[in-house]
Amino acid sequence: MNISWDDARLFLAIAETGSFSAAATRLRIGQPTVSRKLAALEYQVGAKLFRRSVEGAALTAAGERLLQPARKMAEWAGEFQRAAESRDSTPKGLVRVTASPFFSFDFLAPFAGHVSGKYPGLRLEVQSTIQYADLGRGEADLALRSVATKNADLTCVHTLELENAVFVSKALKAKLPKRPTLQQLPWVAWAPPYESVPPNPQLAALIPGFTPVFTTDNFLVMVAAVEAGVGAMVLGNFPHRFSTQRERGLVPLDVDLGAHGKQTLHLMCAKSALDIPRVRKVSELLVEELERVRRR
């Protein structure tokens, strides 16, 4: 029996997403192709690997036995790819950076212009997402995260502590008390399925009966609502040189966020990714910018 990495990756995508459609999205192929390839794999293995239902796809006992080996294959496939790319002699090509919607929108997008200006051969792909990409598997090259993942194959390249602040439009600020309390503010926050994403839980802990005046599942819609004066939102007070907060007309309020007034930003990557010239160069440029913020 000779199971290819493509077959193992297909199996893993279904197992981890829990559905054929989500696996198709992750692999960027059609759902009929997922079904066809899985049927061929199950025929090769000689056993059903998933039970399909309206809730999705659940692993069978035979599938459970393959899950951990498939995950190890994914990690080694990422390592293999990085080892091959470390032979590149110059920093050129695509570098994938993953971060939260805020850091993607406010920092990485304008940072990409800085990178292309200095190194025209470098290109950035920014993955703006709430979920963590698996750096070991090569789902991204670099990550800006609030938590330093504890994994022997990953390294924390740089760490920066930031202040959090409450931002509103200038028009709304003019209508509020000089030093409003958290309870006095109309809040813009995450809607399902992201209701557990910060700062929702933190605000709920600080404000009894926390009820936002506006919710959405899209970060840019949240920002647009704040710009329109609908309410306030918590953002990292990240005074980098590319910031557009002032141009967007957002201003910070003098509000005490207590224990949630700070956050930590970690630049993470797989250890072997730094052997790839293009990844190493982008990481160095990111560290330079984070250090600029620290010195301000």
Side-chain angles (χ1 to χ4, degrees):
M1 185 185 302
N2 182 20
I3 298 177
S4 69
W5 162 233
D6 281 346
D7 287 340
R9 181 170 57 178
L10 176 90
F11 164 79
L12 191 58
I14 301 170
E16 292 185 337
T17 62
S19 78
F20 283 43
S21 59
T25 300
R26 176 191 281 192
L27 299 174
R28 299 181 182 181
I29 59 177
Q31 188 170 335
T33 302
V34 171
S35 299
R36 177 174 54 80
K37 286 181 174 290
L38 176 64
L41 176 60
E42 290 179 327
Y43 178 80
Q44 187 178 9
V45 172
K48 283 289 184 183
L49 302 177
F50 294 95
R51 292 185 300 273
R52 298 185 67 170
S53 68
V54 292
E55 286 79 23
L59 285 165
T60 63
E64 288 282 1
R65 287 194 293 272
L66 294 180
L67 183 57
Q68 193 58 29
R71 285 174 169 163
K72 290 181 179 179
M73 285 182 71
E75 292 169 3
W76 278 107
E79 194 67 25
F80 182 88
Q81 182 70 26
R82 289 188 290 272
E85 292 177 339
S86 67
R87 295 178 60 84
D88 293 343
S89 58
T90 56
K92 61 182 179 180
L94 182 68
V95 178
R96 296 160 301 160
V97 187
T98 180
S100 70
F102 167 67
F103 287 109
S104 296
F105 173 65
D106 185 73
F107 175 55
L108 288 177
F111 169 76
H114 169 64
V115 172
S116 62
K118 292 196 69 171
Y119 298 93
L122 281 175
R123 296 179 292 119
L124 288 194
E125 177 181 286
V126 176
Q127 301 173 5
S128 172
T129 179
I130 300 299
Q131 288 78 29
Y132 276 10
D134 193 316
L135 298 174
R137 296 183 189 176
E139 292 177 357
D141 300 306
L142 298 162
L144 289 172
R145 293 179 171 171
S146 59
V147 177
T149 308
K150 294 181 180 179
N151 186 312
D153 296 325
L154 304 186
T155 185
C156 182
V157 180
H158 197 75
T159 298
L160 178 68
E161 188 173 80
L162 298 172
E163 301 284 339
N164 287 327
V166 177
F167 284 84
V168 295
S169 67
K170 292 179 181 178
L172 179 57
K173 183 177 181 178
K175 300 175 183 177
L176 295 170
K178 188 173 183 180
R179 296 194 65 182
T181 64
L182 295 176
Q183 290 84 352
Q184 290 175 312
L185 294 175
W187 288 100
V188 171
W190 288 106
Y194 303 125
E195 65 269 33
S196 296
V197 172
N200 282 34
Q202 291 78 7
L203 291 174
L206 291 169
I207 304 170
F210 173 64
T211 305
V213 298
F214 180 89
T215 57
T216 177
D217 63 351
N218 186 293
F219 176 77
L220 294 182
V221 177
M222 292 173 70
V223 172
V226 177
E227 289 176 339
V230 174
M233 70 184 295
V234 177
L235 294 170
N237 196 4
F238 188 29
H240 58 85
R241 59 180 172 150
F242 312 120
S243 179
T244 58
Q245 285 178 351
R246 185 171 300 172
E247 287 76 5
R248 295 199 304 269
L250 302 185
V251 292
L253 294 178
D254 184 10
V255 177
D256 183 13
L257 288 169
H260 307 299
K262 294 183 183 293
Q263 65 170 299
T264 304
L265 185 66
H266 305 278
L267 175 60
M268 305 288 300
C269 70
K271 291 177 180 178
S272 56
L274 295 177
D275 295 331
I276 304 171
R278 68 178 185 274
V279 177
R280 183 170 64 251
K281 178 52 65 178
V282 172
S283 72
E284 290 170 352
L285 293 174
L286 282 168
V287 170
E288 286 179 12
E289 296 306 322
L290 297 178
E291 275 298 302
R292 282 176 181 266
V293 173
R294 188 195 302 278
R295 291 193 296 267
R296 286 195 176 191

